[in-house]
Amino acid sequence: MKAKKSLGQNFLNNKTICDSIVFLLSPTKKDLIIEIGPGKGILTKKLKKHNTRIVGIEIDKNLKEHLSLLEDDNCKIIYNDILKTDIQSLLKDYKYNDLYIVGNLPYYITTPIIEHIIKSKVNPIKMVFMVQKEVAERFSATPNTKKYGYITVYLNHYFDIKKELFVSKKNFSPKPKVDSQVISFIRKEVKAIDNEQEFFEFVKECFIHKRKTLKNNIGNRKFSIIKGVLNENGFNDMVRAESLNEEMFIKIYLLLKKKADIS
Ligand code: SAM
C-alpha cells in the first residue's frame, strides 16, 4: 500500500518510541483511550498490552487490512474523519474512569484536531501526541519568546503542556521533511471566564500582527482603557502581546468588558 501524502501518512517504524509514548500515557484498565490516526497499528499494538479499551479513529479505509487484525472486544476502529467525528456521542457507548487521547497526528491538521477535542468538551485527563518539532515549540512556548502566540495561550488555558522526547525524521517511512516531538497535555484546572469564545477572540486580536505593538493591534481607544493596568504591572505603551501571560490577558479583557468596550 502506498502511503498517502495528502493524509499525512508518515508511518512510525520505531517500536521503542511507541513504548515511550505508551509509558507517558500510562492508562489503567478502567480507562478509555482514543487513538487518532492509528495507521498500520504500530502504536495500537503497544497500547493493547495495557488491556485498556481503545477506540481508533482512522480516515483511510484502505488501512483496514492492517487494523482489522487488531480489533477485538477491547479495541474498535472507526473509519471516519476525526474532525467530523462527534466524540461526545461516540463516548456515550462506553463506561470508563478517565479518557486518554493519543496519536502520531497527521501534521496537516494538528491544531484543528486539538481544537476539535477541546470544543467537544470531552475533558481528557491526558493526551500524548507526536507533532512537528516546530509546532511542539509553539504549543509549549513561554511569554517573551518568538514562538509564543495565540495558540500557546489558547492551549495552555486547558492543559499543562510539556515537550517530551525528540523524534528524528529517520524514524518514519516515508521520511518526512521535518523532525518531530512527542508532547504531553495534562488537564488542569481551568480559570473560569464567562465567555471563553469572546475572550479567545480578544486574545487573537491582540496577536493579529505579531510584530506590531498591542496598541497597534487593538487600537488607541481600547488601549487607553487598559493602559493603567498594563503600566501598574510593569508594561510600557510599546508592549507586544507576546509579553503577556494568560493572567494579564484575563485582566485586560475583564477591564474592557466592564467598560463595555469589547469589539
Ligand atoms: N499511528 C500511525 C503511526 O504512528 O505509524 C500513523 C500515523 S500517520 C502520521 C497519521 C495517520 O492519521 C494516518 O494513518 C492517516 O491516514 C490518519 N489521518 C489523516 N487524516 C485523518 C483524519 N482527518 N481523521 C482521522 N485520521 C486521519
Side-chain angles (χ1 to χ4, degrees):
M1 195 200 118
K2 209 166 175 263
K4 298 186 181 82
K5 235 182 169 180
S6 62
L7 293 179
Q9 290 182 349
N10 299 101
F11 299 108
L12 194 56
N13 55 28
N14 181 326
K15 291 183 183 162
T16 314
I17 295 170
C18 291
D19 283 330
S20 307
I21 294 175
V22 176
F23 176 76
L24 285 168
L25 209 61
S26 293
T28 70
K29 267 188 181 178
K30 290 186 175 167
D31 297 323
L32 178 69
I33 304 175
I34 292 182
E35 185 189 354
I36 298 171
K40 294 181 185 174
I42 185 169
L43 181 59
T44 326
K45 266 182 219 154
K46 296 279 183 184
L47 290 168
K48 283 188 70 161
K49 294 199 172 138
H50 272 263
N51 288 323
T52 311
R53 271 164 317 154
I54 304 165
V55 181
I57 303 174
E58 171 57 61
I59 199 169
D60 188 358
K61 285 198 184 90
N62 289 324
L63 290 163
K64 221 173 205 167
E65 59 177 288
H66 299 275
L67 293 172
S68 60
L69 305 171
L70 300 174
E71 283 198 79
D72 57 26
D73 287 350
N74 272 339
C75 178
K76 186 175 158 42
I77 307 293
I78 296 169
Y79 292 91
N80 205 8
D81 180 343
I82 179 67
L83 299 179
K84 294 186 182 142
T85 304
D86 180 344
I87 310 177
Q88 230 345 294
S89 60
L90 180 151
L91 291 177
K92 284 191 186 124
D93 294 339
Y94 296 88
K95 271 204 182 118
Y96 56 90
N97 277 358
D98 283 309
L99 173 67
Y100 289 76
I101 306 185
V102 67
N104 171 11
L105 296 183
Y107 293 166
Y108 70 108
I109 45 169
T110 298
T111 305
I113 289 175
I114 303 174
E115 281 172 334
H116 180 63
I117 294 168
I118 292 173
K119 285 185 180 144
S120 67
K121 299 203 182 303
V122 288
N123 279 331
I125 187 161
K126 189 168 191 181
M127 311 198 285
V128 178
F129 293 133
M130 174 99 69
V131 303
Q132 275 181 26
K133 185 174 170 286
E134 206 266 333
V135 171
E137 281 161 7
R138 277 198 277 127
F139 288 175
S140 59
T142 47
N144 290 316
T145 60
K146 271 196 182 154
K147 302 272 159 97
Y148 184 76
Y150 162 74
I151 198 67
T152 325
V153 181
Y154 176 67
L155 297 180
N156 283 271
H157 175 71
Y158 301 98
F159 300 100
D160 283 320
I161 302 179
K162 192 166 160 237
K163 278 196 287 175
E164 306 285 357
L165 64 149
F166 165 83
V167 181
S168 157
K169 57 190 167 200
K170 285 187 246 158
N171 294 292
F172 298 88
S173 49
K175 191 164 88 173
K177 288 202 177 86
V178 290
D179 292 319
S180 295
Q181 182 94 42
V182 174
I183 185 164
S184 61
F185 294 70
I186 299 169
R187 186 173 71 200
K188 71 181 195 193
E189 191 127 345
V190 169
K191 291 192 184 78
I193 303 168
D194 273 358
N195 188 338
E196 277 189 4
Q197 200 188 331
E198 190 185 63
F199 170 66
F200 286 116
E201 272 162 21
F202 171 65
V203 176
K204 213 178 232 175
E205 185 188 340
C206 295
F207 279 102
I208 198 136
H209 301 291
K210 269 210 90 179
R211 289 162 148 239
K212 289 195 176 171
T213 60
L214 181 65
K215 190 175 182 174
N216 263 313
N217 281 341
I218 66 172
N220 286 338
R221 186 172 47 87
K222 282 186 192 168
F223 191 80
S224 65
I225 296 172
I226 61 171
K227 179 180 154 62
V229 173
L230 286 168
N231 295 162
E232 273 164 33
N233 284 274
F235 300 103
N236 66 30
D237 292 7
M238 299 306 286
V239 65
R240 289 193 165 81
E242 70 190 34
S243 297
L244 306 179
N245 61 15
E246 190 195 22
E247 243 179 276
M248 231 16 246
F249 279 114
I250 295 177
K251 243 183 217 174
I252 58 177
Y253 161 75
L254 290 179
L255 183 58
L256 285 170
K257 209 170 158 59
K258 203 165 133 197
K259 305 268 180 194
D261 218 331
I262 278 286
S263 21

